[in-house]
Each structure stands twice: as C-alpha cells, then as structure tokens.
Amino acid sequence: MKKRNWLVLLLSVLIMSAILIACGESDSSSENSGETEEETETTESAETDTEEETAGNEEVEEEGTGESTIEFLSMLTGGTSGTYYPLGGEMASIISDATGVQTDALSSNASADNVVALQNGEAELAFVQTDVMDNAVQGINAFDGNPVDNVQAIGSLYPETIQIVTKKDAGITSVEDLAGKKVSVGAPGSGTYINAEQILEIHDMSMDDIEAQNLDFSESTGGIQDGNIDAAFITSGTPTGAVEGLAATVDVAIVPIEEDKIDALIEQYPFYAKDTIAAGTYGLEEDVITVAVLAMLAVTDNIPEDLGYEMTKAIYENAEPMAHDKSSYITIDSALDGIGIELHPGAKKYFDEQGVTQE
C-alpha cells in the first residue's frame, strides 16, 4: 500500500514538472518572438532612414549639377599696334573687376580669325568688325559654306575707319592709283582684307590689279617707311598707333574715297558708313573723306546670361574712365548700331532695362 502511494506521488511530481517545463518554454518562445519583431522593426526603420538619406544625397547632387562656374575668359583683340589690343586690355580689366572672372586680352589676327576661334571654342570674347560678323552668320566671303551659329553680340563699340595709308610723296592720290603698286591688304580673310576687296570692287578693280601683300599693321607701316611697299589698307579706329608711329618718321597721306564711290559702296554693303579723318591726325593738312565699319564685341553663346549681363553693364557704364581715345564712342545710345546678329541674352536684358532696342 505504501509502495503504491509512493508511486502515485512520484507520478504526480513528474506530471507537474512536465507542465511547468511546458509553460516555461511557451513563455520563452513568446519573449523571443517579441524580441525578433522589435529587431525587425528596428532594421526596417534603419533601412528606411538609409533610403531617405540616400534620396536626400541624390537630391543635393542633382541640385548641384548645374553649369560649372566660369573662372577665366579669353578676349581676342588684334595686333599689338592696332586699336583692338590696347582698348581690349582696358576692357578686360574692367570685366575682371566687375565680375570677379579673370579676363585676359590676347593679341590675334583680328576679326575673321577671331570669329573662327569663337566658333571653335578657343576663346569666349572677341573684337570683331560688324561686317565680318555679318558675313560669318550668313556663311559668305571668308565663311563661304561655313556659317557661324554659336556667336552672339554684346554690342558695338566705335567706328573703324578704312585708312589707305601711303607716303605724301608716293604719288598715290586715288584708289585707282593703287593699280600695279605693292599694297598691304591684311591677312587673307581678315576684316581689312575684305574691306580692301570691296573698296577695290567699287572702283572696278580687284586684288589682281595690285601686288597684294598680306601684312599686319606694324609690318605695313614698317614696309611703307622702308620703301618695300607703296601703300596699305588699315581698318582701325583713328588715330591708329602704327600709323602715328609712321607719321613720326615720314610725311603721311591718307587716300580719299570719292563721294559717289562711297554712296555705291553703302548701297551694296549697308554696314559701311561715311567717315572723316580730321585734319591734324597724323599731321594731315586737311580732312580726308573715307568710310568706316563698326567694331563690336562678340561672345560665345555658352556664356551664362548673368555673366553676359554683368559684362555688358561693366563695359557700357565704365567706358568714360578708359584712357583710349575711342572710349568716348562706347555709349549705350550707340551700342546696337550696326549689330545685325542676335544679342546675347544677358546683353539684351541690360539694354532692355536701359530702353535701348535692336532694330
């Protein structure tokens, strides 16, 4: 009987132990399950935060992917003995100070070569004759079959006078007298060269009627001084440094263009205008009637609008302090004279604010 009771008691203990063990495992499973869910939520939250942070970084990167800030500008001018180079140096300094963008004035072969350099992305700014720029956009003359479509205008600057320079005792008093003479006409394709072609054309002449020499301004005046050439076409604002230098050593004459030929030239090529070289210039005893085109500043179309605006504002509001004689011609009122191509958006914005519009 005692043995039987002991077995019953042992069995009861075993059953109770089994029940207690089962309950403990259930509670442990429940606790572990809770910890796993919490860890999962934390992991998902961390992943969500990471995704949001990544999205935020992508947004910052996207906002920062605009055009890079321009730090340098190259301004092509002309030969060191012409007007473009010294005036360009002053304008480059003004642009640098006003915009904070370092602008360097570089000597070059002038108009036509300058336009080609802009077209090829080799420079950002350049001095150009209005007639050459017109030819470039139309794809004629030096730009035949190769029209330029990435260059825009900042504005015109001053008249560029076509000066046919010779010695007073050379016996050359008319364009027709150039026939058979050694005459400098500038680099092929340059603004001076094209002017020479067109003026000869109006006089029923061509390059074949002269011994054309492709010299720059200083070479031209040096050649006249030394007697190696008889005359030179020089398209530049007056007084031109190279001609002043020549006048200091010999008596200079400027060949006039007759009124009827001027009228015919302007009718055929409207970008020309009648011009006068005043008596006293180069020691001249009386006024000389000739023609002129306009010098302009051209720019590539990838210059940002705000920079174009600041450059234009700087040039036309700081021309008066410039030391060069031609600075007096650089005014807002005449800034769009002779401009036949599209204005840079920044320049247009500035001139619109000033009430000056392109015709």
Side-chain angles (χ1 to χ4, degrees), residues 152-172:
Q152 298 171 330
I154 290 294
S156 61
L157 303 172
Y158 61 87
E160 289 199 84
T161 307
I162 287 80
Q163 307 165 69
I164 306 175
V165 184
T166 187
K167 288 182 181 178
K168 190 174 182 179
D169 60 3
I172 301 174

Side-chain angles (χ1 to χ4, degrees), residues 75-116:
M75 175 190 287
L76 299 179
T77 58
T80 55
S81 58
T83 301
Y84 282 177
Y85 184 73
L87 184 58
E90 292 197 65
M91 290 174 60
S93 294
I94 288 172
I95 292 172
S96 296
D97 292 342
T99 66
V101 178
Q102 178 61 43
T103 305
D104 297 323
L106 308 174
S107 63
S108 70
N109 289 329
S111 290
D113 281 358
N114 288 358
V115 176
V116 172

Side-chain angles (χ1 to χ4, degrees), residues 167 221-229 246:
K167 288 182 181 178
T221 53
I224 292 172
Q225 180 178 340
D226 297 339
N228 295 325
I229 63 172
L246 177 63

Side-chain angles (χ1 to χ4, degrees), residues 86-87 89-91 94 318-328:
L87 184 58
E90 292 197 65
M91 290 174 60
I94 288 172
N318 293 279
E320 188 174 347
M322 293 184 198
H324 200 282
D325 292 341
K326 287 302 172 187
S327 63
S328 61

Side-chain angles (χ1 to χ4, degrees), residues 2-321:
K2 286 182 180 181
K3 185 177 180 180
R4 184 178 179 181
N5 289 339
W6 181 82
L7 290 173
V8 171
L9 178 62
L10 178 61
L11 182 61
S12 298
V13 169
L14 291 173
I15 292 171
M16 289 297 295
S17 297
I19 293 172
L20 290 173
I21 291 171
C23 288
E25 288 178 350
S26 176
D27 290 342
S28 175
S29 176
S30 176
E31 288 173 5
N32 289 338
S33 176
E35 288 173 0
T36 302
E37 289 174 359
E38 185 176 342
E39 288 172 357
T40 302
E41 288 175 0
T42 303
T43 302
E44 290 176 350
S45 175
E47 290 175 351
T48 302
D49 290 343
T50 301
E51 290 174 357
E52 289 175 354
E53 184 177 354
T54 301
N57 289 336
E58 288 175 352
E59 184 176 352
V60 170
E61 290 172 1
E62 186 175 348
E63 291 175 353
T65 56
E67 295 183 6
S68 59
T69 302
I70 293 178
E71 297 181 352
F72 301 100
L73 293 171
S74 294
M75 175 190 287
L76 299 179
T77 58
T80 55
S81 58
T83 301
Y84 282 177
Y85 184 73
L87 184 58
E90 292 197 65
M91 290 174 60
S93 294
I94 288 172
I95 292 172
S96 296
D97 292 342
T99 66
V101 178
Q102 178 61 43
T103 305
D104 297 323
L106 308 174
S107 63
S108 70
N109 289 329
S111 290
D113 281 358
N114 288 358
V115 176
V116 172
L118 293 180
Q119 183 183 34
N120 295 336
E122 297 167 2
E124 293 77 37
L125 294 161
F127 279 67
V128 186
Q129 290 176 203
T130 51
D131 56 325
V132 174
M133 194 68 252
D134 183 79
N135 291 339
V137 172
Q138 292 189 56
I140 60 176
N141 290 326
F143 302 90
D144 188 21
N146 184 32
V148 175
D149 61 4
N150 66 327
V151 178
Q152 298 171 330
I154 290 294
S156 61
L157 303 172
Y158 61 87
E160 289 199 84
T161 307
I162 287 80
Q163 307 165 69
I164 306 175
V165 184
T166 187
K167 288 182 181 178
K168 190 174 182 179
D169 60 3
I172 301 174
T173 60
S174 68
V175 174
E176 289 86 354
D177 288 339
L178 295 174
K181 300 292 195 298
K182 291 182 179 180
V183 183
S184 174
V185 294
S190 68
T192 298
Y193 187 94
I194 294 170
N195 297 148
E197 276 190 319
Q198 292 168 344
I199 289 171
L200 290 172
E201 175 192 347
I202 289 298
H203 289 82
D204 297 321
M205 299 170 66
S206 71
M207 291 291 179
D208 293 335
D209 294 308
I210 62 174
E211 291 187 40
Q213 310 292 308
N214 303 123
L215 308 175
D216 65 23
F217 292 171
S218 61
E219 292 171 336
S220 295
T221 53
I224 292 172
Q225 180 178 340
D226 297 339
N228 295 325
I229 63 172
D230 301 297
F233 281 82
I234 291 179
T235 301
S236 177
T238 57
T240 304
V243 184
E244 286 184 309
L246 177 63
T249 60
V250 302
D251 290 331
V252 166
I254 304 295
V255 179
I257 300 178
E258 299 299 324
E259 294 277 358
D260 61 329
K261 298 299 185 183
I262 291 175
D263 292 341
L265 184 67
I266 294 173
E267 182 177 356
Q268 187 161 344
Y269 304 106
F271 41 75
Y272 282 101
K274 182 179 177 180
D275 198 12
T276 301
I277 302 175
T281 307
Y282 311 134
L284 298 174
E285 296 176 357
E286 57 185 20
D287 292 351
V288 176
I289 305 301
T290 182
V291 292
V293 291
L294 286 163
M296 64 175 286
L297 189 64
V299 63
T300 52
D301 61 6
N302 61 349
I303 295 297
E305 180 177 335
D306 59 344
L307 180 55
Y309 175 90
E310 293 300 330
M311 287 193 300
T312 308
K313 179 181 174 69
I315 291 168
Y316 288 95
E317 294 187 4
N318 293 279
E320 188 174 347

